[in-house]
Amino acid sequence: MATSVRATSDGSPPSSRPAPSTSDKSGSRPPGWRAKLFQFDTKAAPYAYVAPFFILFAAFGLFPLIYTGWLSLHQVELGTHAKWVGFDNYTGLWDNEFFWKALRNTFTLGVLSTVPQLLIALGLAHLLNYKLRGRGFFRVAVLAPYATSVAAATLVFIQMFNPDYGMINQLFGHIGLGHVDWESSKWPAQIAISTIVTWRWTGYNALIYLAAMQAVSADLYEAAALDGASRWRQFLNITIPSIRPTILFTIIVSTIGATQLFGEPLMFGGGVGITGGTDHQYQTLSLYMYDKGWNTGELGQASAVAWVMLLILLLIGAVNLLIARSNRRKLGA
């Protein structure tokens, strides 16, 4: 079959792509229903894919948030009609000693559980980052407490911290320390609850740190080793600065978790767990909100406590944003 190829005027080879027909511009037919359906699908499909999330969020996240805010401005008790009281529920919290005690307990429990938890997690991650024999087993084993339910873990620690026959007091007796009442006294009870929280969440944070450490370039460690830096010096001067954003992330997440602490103190206290002990010595804000809402039936005040907790979390988020922005400026990003 013979083909005809003609060069263009400037000598370049002719294009094999056919030239667009001018007849499509004038007198073209309107797009059919298939083209319209294709255009509609292209534009609407992304919204349809994300719609279930926003529908569920509106039903189970946004609506309860708005409704709780509305309740916080009313005097509401179970089985009665709401009565507008303005900000009285919030001003009532200001003068409520139990609210301030719950806020202080939330802060101290957060410090007692978050600081040791993250320090131990950092050390564990550093050890797991070495080439150990059976390190895959150890990496899975540190996550086992996280997979354990709150109820099971708390029941075990209740037996360990039992003032009469618990293993901790028996151990203290062997080494000459006195008997400790882990339930009735404030600080021993908070230390016991913090131990449960630390035990459950240390492995989880250790794996997050381990993932961040494995992203650090090995060249930095080799150069430091050639300069004579010890392992401890490498950890302080290379590892910690390299994973600083991850450390900040875990601090924020752990602080938020400490603000919402509920299950461990509730089960640790048993029959008086809702009130955080006989003297409210370990009642957190979450327990205080639950006590107000479902034990005494004052839903308005419970909603005000919920909104105060939300404001605290927003404040923590704002501090996180400021610190992250400051770090980016230091790094020149």
Side-chain angles (χ1 to χ4, degrees):
M1 184 175 61
T3 55
S4 173
V5 177
R6 291 185 300 177
T8 57
S9 58
D10 56 355
S12 60
S15 174
S16 59
R17 182 178 300 173
S21 175
T22 54
S23 61
D24 292 339
K25 296 181 179 177
S26 62
S28 61
R29 292 183 301 175
W33 65 273
R34 290 180 180 275
K36 290 182 178 178
L37 182 62
F38 176 75
Q39 292 177 355
F40 176 77
D41 179 65
T42 304
K43 294 180 179 178
Y47 296 100
Y49 290 144
V50 300
F53 166 76
F54 286 101
I55 292 173
L56 292 175
F57 173 74
F60 299 104
L62 187 60
F63 172 73
L65 182 67
I66 297 174
Y67 186 65
T68 304
W70 181 84
L71 283 178
S72 69
L73 302 176
H74 292 76
Q75 181 182 358
V76 189
E77 296 181 0
L78 291 175
T80 63
H81 294 287
K83 178 184 176 183
W84 171 263
V85 293
F87 289 94
D88 287 355
N89 287 325
Y90 293 95
T91 56
L93 291 178
W94 184 264
D95 300 326
N96 192 325
E97 62 171 318
F98 296 114
F99 167 76
W100 289 108
K101 183 176 283 188
L103 184 61
R104 287 195 296 271
N105 290 338
T106 302
F107 175 77
T108 53
L109 278 170
V111 173
L112 289 173
S113 60
T114 300
V115 175
Q117 173 192 145
L118 296 183
L119 289 177
I120 297 172
L122 204 56
L124 272 177
H126 183 63
L127 293 176
L128 292 175
N129 201 25
Y130 286 114
K131 293 182 179 179
L132 301 173
R133 181 174 295 179
R135 59 180 176 178
F137 168 77
F138 290 117
R139 291 176 182 179
V140 174
V142 297
L143 196 61
Y146 174 71
T148 308
S149 70
V150 179
T154 307
L155 286 175
V156 171
F157 278 91
I158 286 175
Q159 301 302 316
M160 293 175 62
F161 284 104
N162 189 285
D164 300 324
Y165 55 83
M167 187 176 67
I168 304 297
N169 270 348
Q170 291 184 10
L171 180 64
F172 281 5
H174 288 302
I175 60 178
L177 297 178
H179 180 272
V180 179
D181 192 347
W182 295 101
E183 296 178 0
S184 301
S185 303
K186 175 183 175 180
W187 292 110
Q190 292 200 7
I191 290 173
I193 295 171
S194 301
T195 304
I196 304 172
V197 179
T198 301
W199 183 80
R200 287 197 66 234
W201 289 95
T202 297
Y204 174 82
N205 288 306
L207 290 186
I208 294 178
Y209 288 149
L210 178 62
M213 289 178 183
Q214 291 183 340
V216 181
S217 174
D219 296 339
L220 296 175
Y221 294 105
E222 292 178 2
L226 291 175
D227 290 339
S230 63
R231 291 291 183 92
W232 174 246
R233 184 59 60 185
Q234 294 177 24
F235 177 72
L236 291 180
N237 294 343
I238 297 177
T239 305
I240 297 297
S242 300
I243 65 169
R244 186 182 301 165
T246 305
I247 294 175
L248 179 62
F249 168 77
T250 54
I251 291 174
I252 297 300
V253 172
S254 300
T255 306
I256 292 174
T259 308
Q260 301 171 342
L261 196 60
F262 181 81
E264 289 85 351
L266 176 68
M267 298 200 66
F268 183 80
V272 293
I274 294 178
T275 58
T278 53
D279 193 29
H280 302 258
Q281 64 267 26
Y282 51 86
Q283 187 181 43
T284 61
L285 281 177
S286 297
L287 283 177
Y288 181 70
M289 178 184 65
Y290 185 85
D291 184 29
K292 278 290 181 183
W294 303 109
N295 202 22
T296 62
E298 298 174 357
L299 293 178
Q301 285 199 358
S303 301
V305 175
W307 265 84
V308 169
M309 292 174 64
L310 175 63
L311 294 177
I312 292 174
L313 294 179
L314 291 177
L315 180 63
I316 294 172
V319 172
N320 175 32
L321 182 63
L322 292 175
I323 295 176
R325 185 175 298 176
S326 174
N327 286 333
R328 283 198 297 269
R329 287 178 180 173
K330 289 180 180 178
L331 295 175

